[in-house]
Amino acid sequence: MRPSDTPHDPAAGGHDPADWNGPVPPPSRPDARHRDPRSRALVISGALTLALGAVAVFLPAPYVVESPGPTFNTVGTVKTGNGEDSPLIEIDGATTYPTEGELDLTTVYVAGGPGSAMSFLEAVGAWLSPEDSVVPEEFVYPRGTTGEEVDEQNAAAMTSSQEAAVAAALRELDIAFTEELAVADLVEDSPAAGVLQTGDTLIRVDGTDIDGIDTLRTKLQESGGDPVDVTYRRDGEEQTAALTPAPGDAGSYQLGIYLATSFEFPFDVSIALDNVGGPSAGMMFALGIIDRLTPEELTGGKHFAGTGTIDSAGKVGAIGGIAQKMEGASDAGAQFFLAPADNCGEVVGNIPDGLAVVRVATLDEARSAVEDLAAGADPAGLAQCLVD
């Protein structure tokens, strides 16, 4: 209560209005010269705190916010720059087939980060939103990364993802194509350092032709750490060197090289998707290509969504923002969601009501799951993300 609302109590030494005939003298005020200096300090510090708090609300915050983004049907159409509808996946030079249903790739809006810092107030608003995720900026972008570099990296990852998706889809359908692996960079003090060079094209390993990343991985694993003969092409000439694979963090044997992959496909596949970057749509691109190239309708007219990176061998990899992608899929009306097995820890506890999630680790598993669900299978009978 405010002091003026305090009841007057004669028994407490106050004045009973019935016995008082004169005006009540005003309370005495201390001489300003004798005021407690601590009061002035408290007032000043309080004012500074309020001012600093107000400024902090608008200062950049070192966080990024991930929110559910739109979905795109890989067997549907998208609006082009002139406003016309165009197939998201266009295949030229091969027989394609009409299809129904939806195979949605999912996206995440990312606010903040290099070139677009958010305020503290915006970060707090995102913390209060059940659909958003607030992540320290350094968990997403390396220190010193510029906005331009982020855009370039996302665009390159999208292009690489599309090429890998075509290769994985054709391999799943047993359609022949050519794949070459070239050395893009080497790890310092690795088995290949000082022997291979950037630009070398890998041709054979222990006499087996390298027709893709999966062949190389398999042969290195089979070596058990023993030396392998690696044949490569440099400046048009073939050379062979004995290299001893080293065990990696995951237990797989590696040569310590970063690879750049180039493909030669028997027909052209183009994907029309602007303003979306990154590699996480690879699996859904591959499923869309398979659906367009096979006479049978893959989805049975049902609504699927999903996410996951993919390599040319068909391995599905983890992505970021899966909780927001499941929310986006649910908002778009998807019945089923295909989630990378390596993301299961983030899937559990974040599945929206009404969305059935199936765990997949390869393109073959994803294709089989779609076919089973299209035929009426119970999602609970397929691979699930479970609590450990």
Side-chain angles (χ1 to χ4, degrees):
M1 285 189 295
R2 298 191 303 275
S4 59
D5 293 330
T6 304
H8 201 65
D9 184 4
H15 298 284
D16 185 343
D19 295 336
W20 184 256
N21 296 316
V24 178
S28 61
R29 299 179 61 187
D31 190 323
R33 291 171 297 179
H34 301 291
R35 289 178 187 167
D36 189 343
R38 291 176 297 179
S39 300
R40 180 177 295 178
L42 287 173
V43 171
I44 294 173
S45 63
L48 287 173
T49 300
L50 289 173
L52 291 173
V55 171
V57 165
F58 299 101
L59 286 176
Y63 298 98
V64 297
V65 173
E66 297 174 338
S67 306
T71 62
F72 300 90
N73 182 14
T74 59
V75 292
T77 60
V78 292
K79 292 289 184 183
T80 61
N82 57 14
E84 296 181 356
D85 289 332
S86 174
L88 191 148
I89 297 175
E90 189 80 62
I91 299 175
D92 185 21
T95 302
T96 58
Y97 303 88
T99 185
E100 294 183 1
E102 296 179 63
L103 287 167
D104 290 352
L105 65 89
T106 50
T107 65
V108 171
Y109 284 125
V110 179
S116 59
M118 65 170 49
S119 70
F120 177 76
L121 187 61
E122 291 172 319
V124 170
W127 263 312
L128 298 175
S129 170
E131 292 189 351
D132 295 343
S133 176
V134 182
V135 183
E137 182 179 325
E138 62 187 25
F139 286 11
V140 181
Y141 306 109
R143 289 184 182 275
T145 304
T146 66
E148 291 75 13
E149 289 172 337
V150 171
D151 292 340
E152 291 174 0
Q153 291 166 4
N154 283 339
M158 172 60 80
T159 299
S160 176
S161 172
Q162 293 174 358
E163 292 177 341
V166 177
L170 268 56
R171 184 167 275 121
E172 177 72 14
L173 296 173
D174 293 325
I175 298 174
F177 63 94
T178 300
E179 177 179 6
E180 285 192 341
L181 303 180
V183 178
D185 202 357
L186 296 102
V187 178
E188 188 176 354
D189 297 327
S190 67
V195 180
L196 298 180
Q197 297 179 7
T198 300
D200 290 347
T201 299
L202 305 185
I203 301 174
R204 288 182 295 278
V205 56
D206 273 349
T208 300
D209 290 340
I210 298 175
D211 57 2
I213 186 67
D214 203 36
T215 301
L216 179 60
R217 287 173 179 161
T218 299
K219 296 300 292 185
L220 293 179
Q221 200 63 21
E222 288 176 351
S223 74
D226 293 335
V228 294
D229 290 331
V230 177
T231 301
Y232 55 95
R233 183 170 58 247
R234 179 185 298 169
D235 299 328
E237 296 184 2
E238 289 190 11
Q239 303 181 47
T240 300
L243 301 175
T244 303
D249 293 338
S252 59
Y253 288 95
Q254 304 172 358
L255 296 177
I257 55 179
Y258 296 101
L259 295 171
T261 309
S262 61
F263 303 97
E264 186 173 333
F265 299 122
F267 46 79
D268 294 328
V269 179
S270 58
I271 297 175
L273 189 62
D274 297 327
N275 301 319
V276 177
S280 64
M283 179 184 70
M284 299 309 294
F285 284 145
L287 288 173
I289 294 167
I290 290 172
D291 202 6
R292 293 291 309 280
L293 289 173
T294 50
E296 303 82 11
E297 188 179 275
L298 188 61
T299 67
K302 296 180 180 178
H303 193 163
F304 292 82
T307 186
T309 65
I310 203 162
D311 64 18
S312 61
K315 180 182 178 182
V316 175
I319 52 80
I322 194 164
Q324 287 70 43
K325 290 179 179 179
M326 290 190 295
E327 286 287 351
S330 178
D331 292 344
Q335 302 163 269
F336 310 106
F337 190 92
L338 305 175
D342 289 341
N343 279 117
C344 274
E346 302 160 85
V347 169
V348 174
N350 290 308
I351 302 175
D353 291 340
L355 186 67
V357 176
V358 176
R359 183 190 78 229
V360 297
T362 66
L363 179 59
D364 186 61
E365 289 181 4
R367 180 187 181 186
S368 296
V370 173
E371 290 174 340
D372 290 344
L373 293 167
D378 182 355
L382 303 182
Q384 301 288 300
C385 286
L386 304 173
V387 179
D388 291 337

